[in-house]
Every structure is written in structure tokens, then in C-alpha cells.
Amino acid sequence: MRRPLAATMVTAVLLTGAACADNDSNPFSVGFASPAPSATAAPGVSGTPTPTPTGDAGVCLAAKRAGSTAVQTYVQKLAEMLTVGRTDRAAADAARRDAEAALAGWRDALRQQSGRATDPQLKTLLADLATEVGSLGTDVEKIDEAEFDRLQQRLDELCPR
């Protein structure tokens, strides 16, 4: 009973963050992702193309988008793992592997963006976030939400809209 409750709590926390914040300022914006800005206008559409940000602004955007995608997959697969775990062990194991892969991809994206960042604070923060994400795993009882929230708040400060 404790594991499904813990998973529900983690899911609720992640989804609450999504509902309360804009996509570009919250990597936990699950299910509301907007398409990436295009460097060229769509055929038949007049107007000025929206350039993709570069430098630290581009680093921030890439880190946040990677988080949004990863958290969406992570929550979905974690819920699947807990839902089918009692009846279909193979499906639960596959969902666990997919959840862990989503976290690994997010960790790698944070490390990559940390390497691209020029601001020393942003570089360090992204490396710290990568370490935190890398330690998450699929045991929802071991997730340190307070530490993760603190790091997320620092990211929001360094990466304003």
C-alpha cells in the first residue's frame, strides 16, 4: 500500500508544478509542452521567423525542455510500473527500464547543457541537477523532493523567462 501511495504523491507533486507554472519556466510541465520555436516560418504563413535562443538562454531552454519530456515519460512509466506490477512482472520491469532511461536521458542532457553554459553559476547548477536526477531511480520512497525543489528554484532564478 505504501508504494502506490508514494507514487501517487510524487505524481501529484510533479503535476502540481506543471499546473502552476509556465512550460518554459518549469521542467515539470507535463503534458502541456509547446512545439519548439522554428528558425523559419511555416510554408504559407507570413511573419518573422522566431529564432532559437543561443548562449545561456539556449542552454536554459534546452535544459527545461529535456526536463519536461523526461518527467512526462518518467511519471507515465512509474505509474505503469506500479499499476501492472502485481499482475505482469515483465511489463512492470519494462516500464521500470523505460522510467530509468528517461531519467538517464535527462541527466545526460543536463550534463551536456552544463558543458555549454558560460555562466559559472548556471554551469554548476546544471551539474548539480544532473547529479540529483541521476540519483532518482524508480524507488519513489527515496526521492528527496525538498532538495530537488531547491535546485529547481535556483534554475528558475538563473533562467528567467
Side-chain angles (χ1 to χ4, degrees):
M1 177 70 183
R2 192 162 185 219
R3 284 189 94 179
L5 179 60
T8 302
M9 296 294 287
V10 168
T11 303
V13 167
L14 295 174
L15 293 175
T16 300
C20 295
D22 178 73
N23 287 350
D24 291 335
S25 66
N26 186 352
F28 301 117
S29 21
V30 180
F32 304 107
S34 59
S38 172
T40 59
V45 177
S46 62
T48 307
T50 305
T52 301
T54 59
D56 284 343
V59 165
C60 286
L61 183 61
K64 289 177 179 184
R65 285 196 175 149
S68 177
T69 301
V71 168
Q72 181 177 0
T73 301
Y74 177 73
V75 169
Q76 175 187 2
K77 293 302 179 176
L78 190 61
E80 182 181 326
M81 180 183 81
L82 295 172
T83 302
V84 301
R86 294 183 183 180
T87 58
D88 188 347
R89 193 70 201 151
D93 288 344
R96 178 187 47 76
R97 285 189 301 274
D98 290 345
E100 290 171 346
L103 292 177
W106 185 13
R107 179 201 62 218
D108 294 347
L110 288 168
R111 285 181 181 159
Q112 179 184 24
Q113 296 312 314
S114 176
R116 289 184 52 218
T118 58
D119 179 316
Q121 289 181 315
L122 180 59
K123 182 181 282 294
T124 299
L125 175 61
L126 292 174
D128 290 348
L129 279 168
T131 299
E132 186 73 20
V133 167
S135 69
L136 285 178
T138 55
D139 186 351
V140 294
E141 294 175 13
K142 292 184 179 179
I143 295 173
D144 184 354
E145 294 171 34
E147 174 64 10
F148 203 74
D149 285 344
R150 186 184 66 75
L151 293 170
Q152 177 57 43
Q153 288 171 356
R154 284 182 50 209
L155 180 63
D156 288 344
E157 289 171 8
L158 291 175
C159 295
R161 298 179 63 177

